[in-house]
Structure formats: structure tokens, C-alpha cells
Amino acid sequence: MVSTAPAGYALVTGASSGIGAAIAREYAQRGVPLILTARRVDKLEQLAAELRGKVQVEVIPADLSDPKAPEILAAEIQRRGLPVRILVNNAGYGVPGRYLTKDWPTHAQFLQVMVGAASELTWRLLPAIRASGHGRILNVASFAALVPGADGQTLYAAVKAYLVRFSESLALENLDRGVHVTALCPGFTWSEFHDVTGTREMMSKLPKWAWLETDAVAKAGIDGVERGKVIVVPGRVYRLLRFLAKHLPDSLVLGLMGRNSKKIRKVD
């Protein structure tokens, strides 16, 4: 396939599975060359082999829990001479259980991946993204960022809310340079996420209407950032829930979250 997309690569973090892999596939369908990064090299290579018939794909493994990883990753991109036009900050995971059930190094590593790495990669790559004249930054947040926090979700909702506010400010700062910045806020999505957190059995009890497909989430995010939407909430149900959360009293919504937290989160 000959790419008709503007020149420049899309860097997708956490591209080995789930929403990250779906975003990579969607960009490949649109003729955008890719830089894929994650910890699991075998998964990255499998995805790269799948997509190389459509676009050029570079694989650069990185463990973003290492504070040095963003600088090393950016330096390797520069060494290979790969112009980055699109940055997708997707890498992430969840830490199940209440705040005090985990030691501080576990939380610190989580914050490094979810906040530190996303912020630093953006800082390091933003000059090139701005220079392209039509750059894009897609931060994969969560519907959890848009409603009161749930029991057992202490840092997860907080870091996703950070990504929303980060995206809003970046969008305003870079609008005059042709850069669109979007926070993608999906609800429950079929992926490895709940297997990693050990909540798959619990989550399987949720009704089918609560679940989104990764392909649909990826398409919504990319369509949204192309249109210049700053916040994208995929799915009619979640858009309705967001509307209700914004217009109902905070105390009522917080009470509902408290009563239902144990159905969707490990809280012990």
C-alpha cells in the first residue's frame, strides 16, 4: 500500500495488545507508518509482521517503568532518523486493591508509566510534532477520569484525570501550530487489562452493553483527534453516563460509585 497520509510516523506506546494494538492496526489501515513500543518484544514483532504489508513498521522495545526509558526511546527514534508526527500515549495498566494494600515502590512504578513516561515522551517529541504542521497527540485516558473515583481505584482514576487535563492544556497551547490533542476516554473494553489485574471473573458478570470493542475504541480515538476533538468518549451508553455524571449532584454520583465499587474492583 502506498501511504497517502501526511509524512511522519505514529509512535504507539503499549502497542503489544489491547487498545494500543488496535490503534496501530487502524493507523496502518490509513497508511500511516508506525513505531511500536512496549516491553514484550515477541508481541511487538508479531504485530509488526502483520502490519508490514501495509506500512513501514519500526519496533523499539522499551520498559516505560524505567525513568530513563523515555529519553532512551526518543534518542533511538532520532538515531534511526524517524520523524514522529503522531504520538499515542497508550501504555498503562491497573493496580488492583485499595491504596494501602500495595507498597510504595508498586505505586511509584505505576505513576512512572502512567504519568511520568507519558509526560516526558510528549515533552521530548513535541518539537518534531509541532514542526510537522499537522501533528497529533492521542492520550488514552479512561471514562474513570470523568466520574467520581471508585473504591479500589485510588491512583488509576487520578492519573487518567491527569491525562484529560494534560490534553486540554496541550490542545490550547499547540492549536496555532496545527497540532490536535485528544484524551480518549473509553469505558470497559475487551482486552488483556482485566486478566493482568486479576479481575476477569468479576468483570465477566457485567452486562454486555457495558463493553466496548478495541477496534471501535481505536477508530473513535483516531477519528476524534483528526477532527480536533479534545475529549472523546466512545459509545452512546458512556456518553449518556457522562452527561448524567455532570448533571447529577456529586454526592449522589459518589454514593452510587461507593455502592457499586465492589462489583467492578478488588477493594481488599
Side-chain angles (χ1 to χ4, degrees):
M1 173 184 291
V2 177
S3 173
T4 58
Y9 284 75
L11 169 63
V12 183
T13 71
S16 58
S17 65
I19 294 174
I23 288 173
R25 290 188 177 99
E26 182 66 24
Y27 270 126
Q29 284 294 120
R30 300 179 188 216
V32 179
L34 295 161
I35 305 168
L36 307 178
T37 189
R39 291 181 298 114
R40 296 181 292 180
V41 182
D42 57 337
K43 293 283 189 180
L44 289 178
E45 292 292 356
Q46 288 175 17
L47 180 59
E50 172 192 333
L51 301 180
R52 281 188 176 124
K54 299 175 181 177
V55 293
Q56 184 172 345
V57 182
E58 299 280 338
V59 171
I60 307 177
D63 181 355
L64 294 178
S65 66
D66 180 351
K68 297 179 181 178
E71 181 178 9
I72 293 170
L73 176 57
E76 179 61 16
I77 290 170
Q78 184 175 28
R79 188 191 70 79
R80 296 191 191 186
L82 307 174
V84 174
R85 182 178 71 87
I86 301 167
L87 170 61
V88 180
N89 284 310
N90 166 76
Y93 60 100
V95 176
R98 287 175 170 163
Y99 196 44
L100 292 181
T101 63
K102 300 295 185 292
D103 59 21
W104 178 248
T106 297
H107 291 314
Q109 187 176 67
F110 175 77
L111 290 169
Q112 171 57 33
V113 173
M114 306 291 279
V115 176
S119 301
E120 184 175 350
L121 273 177
T122 301
W123 182 81
R124 291 188 178 280
L125 297 175
L126 185 55
I129 292 170
R130 284 166 59 95
S132 76
H134 42 256
R136 306 287 185 258
I137 299 174
L138 181 58
N139 293 318
V140 180
S142 170
F143 186 74
L146 306 176
V147 294
D151 190 356
Q153 200 181 47
T154 318
L155 287 182
Y156 185 81
V159 300
K160 294 301 189 179
Y162 167 84
L163 287 176
V164 172
R165 295 293 177 257
F166 183 50
S167 300
E168 290 172 336
S169 293
L170 280 174
L172 292 174
E173 289 179 15
N174 294 282
L175 186 60
D176 63 342
R177 299 300 294 269
V179 178
H180 295 176
V181 185
T182 295
L184 175 59
C185 300
F188 298 120
T189 305
W190 292 110
S191 70
E192 291 183 356
F193 181 90
H194 302 292
D195 297 315
V196 173
T197 59
T199 57
R200 171 61 63 197
E201 182 178 356
M202 183 183 300
M203 301 305 296
S204 66
K205 298 176 183 178
L206 289 175
K208 290 184 178 180
W209 59 258
W211 291 97
L212 302 170
E213 298 291 341
T214 54
D215 292 350
V217 170
K219 186 176 186 304
I222 295 173
D223 286 346
V225 77
E226 287 303 316
R227 292 197 301 266
K229 294 187 67 175
V230 179
I231 298 176
V232 170
V233 181
R236 294 178 183 176
V237 170
Y238 285 102
R239 288 192 289 273
L240 174 60
L241 290 174
R242 184 193 181 202
F243 175 84
L244 292 174
K246 289 174 68 175
H247 291 86
L248 292 174
D250 289 344
S251 58
L252 175 59
V253 180
L254 190 61
L256 289 171
M257 294 296 289
R259 286 193 290 275
N260 289 281
S261 291
K262 290 183 180 181
K263 296 179 183 179
I264 59 174
R265 301 288 172 195
K266 285 188 174 182
V267 295
D268 296 322

